[in-house]
Amino acid sequence: MSDTIFALATAPGRAPVAIIRVSGPRAREALITVGGGKPAHSQARVRRLRSTDGRPLDTAVTLFFAGPHSYTGEDCAELHLHGGAGVVDGVTETLLGLGLRLAEAGEFTRRAFENGKLDLDQAEAIADLTDAETTAQARQALGQLEGRLGARYRTWRETLVDALARLEAAVDFPDEDVPVDVAQQARAALQGLASDLDSALADEGRGRRVREGYRVAIIGAPNSGKSSLLNHLNRRDAAIVTPTPGATRDIIETSLILDGFKVVLADMAGIRRTSDPIESEGVRRARAWAEGADFRLWVVDRAEQTGLWREAFGLVRSGDICILNKSDQAAGRDEVAARQGARKRGADVISLSLLNDGASTVEAALSVRVRQDLAGAEFPAATRARHEALLREARDHLERALSQLDEPELAADDARLAARSLERISGRIGADEILGRVFATFCIGK
C-alpha cells in the first residue's frame, strides 16, 4: 500500500459541500502542495487551494489526520470544497497530476481493516450503515461497528482456548503431573459453547432479515384481493387490479417501513391449476417465492363457493395470517372451510373488506409479527449469510470434538478448527478469499 489514494466521499452532483478524502504516505505532501502551510493533526484550517501551476481552485476547509490515528491507519487528509462540479473536477485533476490514484470501491475501509483499525465484521457494518434504509438497520449496523458482534465471538473463542488447553495437555504431557481426566474436563466448556451456538443458529436469520428486509408473500387464488392488498399497504398503485383472473403473472416486489423495519412485500400470480404456459410459470415462481418467505398473508375470497382457496393452502405455515376478504358481501361456503383450515394449520384469521380500509387491520397485525420476529433482546449472532455459514461450521467441529474426547488429539484438532471458524468472521484468519467480495459491495470513497 505504498500508493496514495483519493476519492469523492460525498454524493456526486450539485451540492453545497463536496468532500474529497485522501489516504496514504503522500497525503501530507499533497495537502501542502494544494493548500499551502504545514497541516497539524486533527485541526481544521481554511486554505486557498491552487493547482500545481498556481491557478486558484477553491477556498476550502482542510483536515489532516496523522497515521496511525486516522480512519485508515495511514496519513489522511480531507478537503471540504464547495460542491460545484467544476470545483471538484479541478481538484481531482490536480491530485491526479501529483501522482495520486483514484480509490477503488471500499479501498479506504479495506486499508483500515488491513492496518488493524477494524475487524472484518466491523468493516461490513460500515457498509451496512452506508446502505441503511431504516432505523432498525442503522441500529444493528452501529452495534456491530461498536463491537457487539465481535465481543460475542471473542467470548466463545476464549472458551474454546481454555478447553483446547486441557485437550493439548492430555496430548503433549501424558506422563506429567496432570489429572488423568484432563481431556474430559473440557467437556463442560465444549457442551456449553455448543449450546450457545445452537441458540445462535436457531436465531440465525434475524440479523440478516433486519439488514435485507423481512420477506412477506401475499398468496391466494386469482381475484381474491392480493393486488388490492399490496396497493393499500403501499398506498400507491404498485400492481394492476382487474376483474380478469390471472392478470398478475410475475412477482411484484415492493418495500415499506413498519416500526423502523424494512418489509419486502410480494404480490404474485394467483395459485391455481392452469394450462396457460405463461401463467403456469407465474404460479411456479409464486410458489417458490412464498415457500422462501419469512411470512405469508393468505388472502381468501370469503364470498366464493368454488373452493379455489385450497390451491394456496399448502403454502400456509403456522403463524401466518389468513385474510377473509370481502366481508361487505354475503359469505359463501369457502369462508367456513377456509377458516377451519387456517385454524388447523395454526394461522391467525382476520375477516375484513379491503374496499372499506381493512388494510389498516392487516398492517397492524403485520407490524406485530415483524416486531416479534426481528426485535430480539440480544444482539444477533449473525447479520450476513457468511456469518451464519461460519457459525454452522464451528458448531460441526464442536460436535466432532465432543464425540472424540476419548482421543484428545483428534478432539483438539476439531476444537482448533472451530476456533478458526469463529476467527474467520472477524477476518483475522483465512480472509483472503472473501476480502474482494466484501469490499466490492462498498461505494467509492468509503
Side-chain angles (χ1 to χ4, degrees):
M1 294 186 293
S2 59
D3 52 344
T4 300
I5 59 173
F6 75 97
L8 183 66
T10 48
R14 185 173 181 268
V17 177
I19 300 175
I20 289 181
R21 175 183 288 172
V22 184
S23 181
R26 296 185 60 203
R28 182 192 294 268
E29 172 195 338
L31 192 56
I32 293 173
T33 301
V34 175
K38 292 186 177 180
H41 173 72
S42 193
Q43 292 187 11
R45 293 284 189 270
V46 177
R47 301 289 188 188
R48 180 76 164 171
L49 305 186
R50 296 183 180 276
S51 65
T52 51
D53 60 5
R55 175 171 49 87
L57 297 171
D58 193 17
T59 298
V61 175
T62 64
L63 284 161
F64 178 74
F65 303 94
H69 307 294
S70 68
Y71 176 72
T72 63
E74 306 172 323
D75 283 355
C76 286
E78 287 185 1
L79 307 174
H80 294 237
L81 315 168
H82 291 91
V87 175
V88 174
D89 289 347
V91 175
T92 296
E93 290 171 5
T94 299
L95 295 177
L96 288 172
L98 292 175
L100 277 61
R101 173 174 65 78
L102 284 168
E104 299 175 357
E107 193 167 2
F108 288 96
T109 304
R110 179 162 184 165
R111 290 189 176 201
F113 165 75
E114 292 176 343
N115 288 326
K117 304 292 287 187
L118 298 167
D119 285 340
L120 188 56
D121 59 284
Q122 291 175 300
E124 290 171 326
I126 290 173
D128 291 344
L129 267 176
T130 303
D131 294 336
E133 302 173 76
T134 71
T135 55
Q137 290 172 335
R139 281 196 308 270
Q140 177 171 284
L142 189 59
Q144 185 171 327
L145 178 59
E146 291 173 346
R148 294 182 65 185
L149 190 64
R152 293 189 73 178
Y153 297 138
R154 283 192 295 275
T155 299
W156 289 338
R157 184 182 178 280
E158 287 167 7
T159 300
L160 268 174
V161 168
D162 181 68
L164 188 56
R166 298 176 186 277
L167 292 171
E168 290 184 337
V171 174
D172 296 334
F173 308 105
D175 301 322
E176 301 294 332
D177 187 21
V178 297
V180 294
D181 64 341
V182 65
Q184 293 298 325
Q185 291 178 8
R187 182 181 298 277
L190 293 177
Q191 287 177 333
L193 179 54
S195 178
D196 287 345
L197 292 185
D198 284 338
S199 297
L201 288 169
D203 190 37
E204 64 177 337
R206 178 164 59 92
R208 182 161 46 86
R209 289 197 296 268
V210 169
R211 179 175 162 269
E212 298 176 359
Y214 189 78
R215 292 165 61 85
V216 177
I218 303 176
I219 62 174
N223 276 21
S224 56
K226 301 185 306 302
S227 297
S228 294
L229 177 59
L230 181 80
N231 290 344
H232 282 298
L233 291 173
N234 280 277
R235 295 173 175 80
R236 64 184 179 89
D237 291 335
I240 296 173
V241 177
T242 171
T244 305
T248 302
R249 301 294 183 93
D250 213 340
I251 308 294
I252 300 174
E253 292 187 21
T254 63
S255 296
L256 65 153
I257 310 301
L258 291 179
D259 294 331
F261 295 99
K262 179 181 178 180
V263 175
V264 179
L265 280 175
D267 182 26
M268 51 195 66
I271 307 297
R272 66 171 177 177
R273 296 172 185 172
T274 175
S275 59
D276 184 324
I278 298 176
E279 186 179 0
S280 179
E281 174 62 16
V283 171
R284 185 196 66 79
R285 295 186 183 190
R287 289 184 180 277
W289 208 102
E291 286 172 352
D294 300 308
F295 187 66
R296 283 147 293 276
L297 296 171
W298 176 36
V299 185
V300 175
D301 183 348
R302 62 182 290 278
E304 271 290 342
Q305 316 215 33
T306 60
L308 276 177
W309 63 270
R310 299 180 188 279
E311 295 294 330
F313 181 61
L315 296 169
V316 179
R317 304 287 183 268
S318 177
D320 290 347
I321 294 179
C322 171
I323 300 167
L324 297 175
N325 187 27
K326 304 183 183 179
S327 62
D328 54 322
Q329 300 179 25
R333 287 194 303 268
D334 285 1
E335 180 189 19
V336 174
R339 187 187 294 271
Q340 291 175 345
R343 287 176 175 169
K344 287 180 180 178
R345 191 57 59 86
D348 295 330
V349 178
I350 300 174
S351 183
L352 52 79
S353 170
L354 290 172
L355 290 179
N356 297 325
D357 197 31
S360 60
T361 303
V362 179
E363 183 174 335
L366 185 55
S367 293
V368 170
R369 177 59 184 265
V370 170
R371 286 196 303 272
Q372 288 175 342
D373 282 3
L374 302 186
E378 190 173 14
F379 196 83
T383 61
R384 292 177 177 239
R386 182 180 77 85
H387 306 161
E388 296 169 15
L390 289 170
L391 284 177
R392 197 170 297 281
E393 184 178 289
R395 179 61 181 85
D396 290 343
H397 286 304
L398 276 181
E399 186 174 352
R400 283 196 290 271
L402 282 164
S403 69
Q404 300 177 117
L405 286 178
D406 291 336
E407 300 180 72
E409 187 170 358
L410 295 178
D413 283 342
D414 272 302
R416 195 176 299 110
L417 289 171
R420 288 176 65 86
S421 295
L422 295 178
E423 289 172 338
R424 287 174 63 197
I425 295 175
S426 68
R428 294 304 166 197
I429 288 183
D432 289 346
E433 74 273 19
I434 59 173
L435 285 181
R437 185 173 18 169
V438 168
F439 290 107
T441 64
F442 283 60
C443 59
I444 301 293
K446 201 64 179 176

